[in-house]
Amino acid sequence: MKQQPPPLPQTQPPTLTQATSAGATAESSSSSNMVAHAICSLNSNNNNSSSSSSVETPKCRPPLYPKPKTPSFDKDRDYIGFATLPEQVHRKSVKRGFEFTLMVVGESGLGKSTLINSLFLGDLYKNRQMPNVEERIEKTTRVEKKTMDIEERGVRLRLTVVDTPGFGDAINCEDSWRVCTQYIDEQFRQYFTDESGLNRRNIQDNRVHCCLYFVPPWGHSLRQMDLDLIRRLHRKVNIVLVIGKADCLNKTEVRKLKERILQDLEDNHIQLYQFPECDSDEDDDFKQQDRELKASIPFAVVGSNTILEVAGKKVRGRQYPWGVVNVEDAEHSDFIKLRTFLISTHMQDLKDTTQDVHYENFRAQCISQISQHALRERGKLKRDSISSTNGFDAAISETDRLLLQKDEEIRRMQDMLTQMQEKLKQTHLMEMKKNDSVIDV
Ligand code: GDP
């Protein structure tokens, strides 16, 4: 079946049913933009965003996906019915809803929170607190998880954004990567435990499906700390590189920086998320879109939560004295390409790669560790039993000797009994013959 390319610019914001921020730090983030207002008005009955349990359904919910047509059995005699299988799968998954976990890594001030809010039209960083200089010197990287339930055309998505505030902020940031790798491994371990448990029906998937790694626009290429982290993460998670605040660079600078980054990755044998090959039977528009997405890596993005009016049109952009950067304009930034890739075209593939490649690697390692442990334990048990056998050798052999004697006695008695029975039988037969001959005479 041919896959239709999704429409590129999305003008209708999805319905945000509830935003939750577990462990969120506080910030007076500007929410003066229209999108935030639209979202806030939907959330007006729900200002307390600390609980994540209930998902409120908006009153005027957009129509659900069209129901599959009921087949007319009378008219179409050749109709069996399995052609509706895709619709059945579709309805089931829409009912269940979707989960996606995105990790955002990069030093502070690179525009991470602005970009996430722009991508998902939410305000996930409402209560953010910025650390001061003294706090930053000693600060260690930590993990903050924020979850929001969003709904678009009846499709529900539970989005979890895993942020790593403090990443690269301390003077010594050698261990910043450790927090990220530990978090990813913990989620895999939890999933592995849940999957091996008795109740596997309602497993919550908290595994990290994608890691957006922010590269600063002011360097010449990747720094040592970028390479260190990416090298440690690239076999655990789908890494997608993003050049933040790309409006600092002109077109040539963006192109050169992208080339140098790709060269660095190649020289260091680092493999980021691999886009799947486009099927040959896809239509030309889709193939073209796929080519453009692949050619844009790493995405050079500009983020903004402000809606501006340019030539009578409302655009998401950044106002400068010399003009407006339109975030959604492909000439200004790869924002739309990133959003198309992350949300519209490759979200499911990111999840599949997490399951089939990264989690499978982790699972294989776990199983090999468990079997090695079991082998060691078995070897230990064998050794223990051999040494205990030596200790009790004398006692056991004495008992065995007595048992063997008794066995032998029983066997001899059984033989005697059989012989006696045989003799009795023969005597009886002889007597019978004698009696017969007497009668004959
Ligand atoms: P974070 O610490 O990485 O989450 O960065 P923020 O999203 O909080 O952004 C830090 C500052 O950079 C804010 O003043 C933003 O308005 C600004 N900012 C965010 N994105 C961009 C961008 O794409 N270009 C420029 N020039 N500034 C940006």
Side-chain angles (χ1 to χ4, degrees):
M1 199 163 53
K2 288 190 177 189
Q3 199 175 347
Q4 288 299 318
L8 270 175
Q10 187 192 321
T11 44
Q12 286 285 329
T15 314
L16 179 80
T17 51
Q18 183 159 17
T20 61
S21 66
T25 48
E27 185 214 15
S28 57
S29 153
S30 95
S31 59
S32 58
N33 62 75
M34 277 180 57
V35 178
H37 276 310
I39 289 159
C40 288
S41 62
L42 275 168
N43 263 342
S44 54
N45 297 332
N46 194 18
N47 284 339
N48 181 4
S49 59
S50 58
S51 115
S52 67
S53 53
S54 68
V55 178
E56 206 174 84
T57 313
K59 273 173 197 151
C60 21
R61 182 192 268 242
L64 279 170
Y65 266 81
K67 281 185 183 171
K69 281 184 201 137
T70 318
S72 78
F73 299 105
D74 295 342
K75 283 181 202 161
D76 199 347
R77 281 167 201 277
D78 295 337
Y79 187 87
I80 301 173
F82 61 82
T84 63
L85 268 174
E87 278 113 13
Q88 291 176 38
V89 174
H90 176 98
R91 274 200 303 168
K92 213 172 167 184
S93 33
V94 166
K95 229 175 173 179
R96 206 185 303 131
F98 296 85
E99 291 166 327
F100 189 74
T101 301
L102 179 68
M103 185 179 240
V104 190
V105 184
E107 64 194 70
S108 73
L110 276 183
K112 298 186 298 297
S113 18
T114 310
L115 188 84
I116 295 299
N117 285 343
S118 323
L119 280 174
F120 296 99
L121 307 177
D123 192 0
L124 273 168
Y125 297 85
K126 253 185 259 162
N127 307 315
R128 192 172 169 201
Q129 262 174 2
M130 301 304 287
N132 59 29
V133 182
E134 291 87 48
E135 283 168 337
R136 279 214 299 268
I137 291 173
E138 285 302 316
K139 216 170 134 189
T140 49
T141 312
R142 58 183 203 286
V143 169
E144 270 178 21
K145 210 169 122 182
K146 301 171 191 357
T147 304
M148 75 174 177
D149 293 308
I150 38 182
E151 189 172 322
E152 187 183 57
R153 291 196 220 154
V155 179
R156 282 176 295 119
L157 172 71
R158 168 157 282 211
L159 172 76
T160 305
V161 176
V162 179
D163 204 351
T164 50
F167 179 86
D169 283 356
I171 289 177
N172 181 3
C173 49
E174 266 184 10
D175 276 4
S176 280
W177 54 266
R178 208 183 297 275
V179 177
C180 304
T181 51
Q182 268 173 4
Y183 182 83
I184 292 169
D185 282 346
E186 267 166 33
Q187 306 318 307
F188 277 152
R189 200 165 296 118
Q190 185 59 51
Y191 195 85
F192 183 71
T193 313
D194 290 349
E195 212 184 34
S196 329
L198 281 178
N199 183 8
R200 291 155 28 114
R201 290 196 63 167
N202 299 316
I203 299 179
Q204 197 167 352
D205 184 5
N206 288 320
R207 294 170 297 178
V208 180
H209 301 116
C210 178
C211 169
L212 280 189
Y213 187 79
F214 277 69
V215 179
W218 39 79
H220 292 286
S221 186
L222 294 175
R223 300 158 301 174
Q224 195 52 48
M225 68 170 285
D226 299 324
L227 284 171
D228 276 352
L229 180 116
I230 298 170
R231 202 180 288 120
R232 281 174 169 106
L233 284 190
H234 74 134
R235 294 198 198 287
K236 291 177 186 285
V237 67
N238 299 311
I239 301 180
V240 175
L241 282 197
V242 165
I243 301 169
K245 293 190 170 180
D247 52 338
C248 301
L249 305 168
N250 64 28
K251 266 193 156 179
T252 321
E253 288 165 341
V254 168
R255 185 175 49 77
K256 283 191 176 156
L257 182 57
K258 283 186 179 188
E259 279 170 10
R260 282 195 296 262
I261 289 174
L262 292 176
Q263 191 58 51
D264 270 356
L265 293 171
E266 199 183 315
D267 294 348
N268 286 277
H269 312 289
I270 291 171
Q271 219 181 37
L272 303 179
Y273 167 70
Q274 292 295 296
F275 278 64
E277 284 305 316
C278 197
D279 288 341
S280 53
D281 64 343
E282 296 290 3
D283 58 46
D284 289 343
D285 285 352
F286 188 83
K287 282 182 185 161
Q288 176 62 22
Q289 193 188 66
D290 192 65
R291 269 195 297 273
E292 281 176 18
L293 286 181
K294 284 175 182 161
S296 307
I297 297 168
F299 299 103
V301 293
V302 180
S304 168
N305 295 323
T306 315
I307 303 291
L308 303 168
E309 200 164 318
V310 180
K313 264 180 81 182
K314 292 217 160 60
V315 298
R316 182 177 289 271
R318 303 187 68 81
Q319 175 79 64
Y320 292 109
W322 53 90
V324 170
V325 176
N326 180 357
V327 166
E328 297 182 0
D329 186 339
E331 288 293 310
H332 295 188
S333 130
D334 294 332
F335 173 81
I336 287 293
K337 289 194 186 109
L338 174 67
R339 191 172 69 187
T340 306
F341 152 75
L342 195 62
I343 305 173
S344 309
T345 54
H346 288 76
M347 189 178 259
Q348 190 53 45
D349 191 67
L350 286 163
K351 291 181 75 171
D352 290 346
T353 315
T354 305
Q355 167 73 23
D356 300 341
V357 181
H358 301 303
Y359 177 65
E360 221 28 58
N361 280 344
F362 178 87
R363 202 169 151 270
Q365 277 172 21
C366 271
I367 291 173
S368 112
Q369 273 173 16
I370 290 170
S371 49
Q372 274 172 15
H373 180 75
L375 270 176
R376 274 200 303 274
E377 285 296 303
R378 205 183 299 167
K380 220 171 106 189
L381 270 173
K382 224 175 186 175
R383 280 196 302 279
D384 286 355
S385 76
I386 288 168
S387 64
S388 63
T389 308
N390 287 340
F392 293 106
D393 238 9
I396 287 171
S397 61
E398 180 59 24
T399 320
D400 281 351
R401 200 176 51 75
L402 283 170
L403 279 170
L404 278 172
Q405 266 182 7
K406 291 286 165 206
D407 275 351
E408 189 58 24
E409 257 175 55
I410 291 167
R411 202 176 52 76
R412 255 188 285 131
M413 284 169 80
Q414 270 174 343
D415 282 352
M416 278 165 66
L417 205 69
T418 324
Q419 278 173 12
M420 280 165 76
Q421 276 171 344
E422 195 62 30
K423 265 188 190 163
L424 271 171
K425 224 184 201 171
Q426 279 179 3
T427 328
H428 182 68
L429 271 173
M430 277 168 69
E431 273 179 11
M432 290 250 296
K433 270 186 186 170
K434 243 189 213 171
N435 288 343
D436 284 352
S437 62
V438 170
I439 291 165
D440 281 347
V441 168

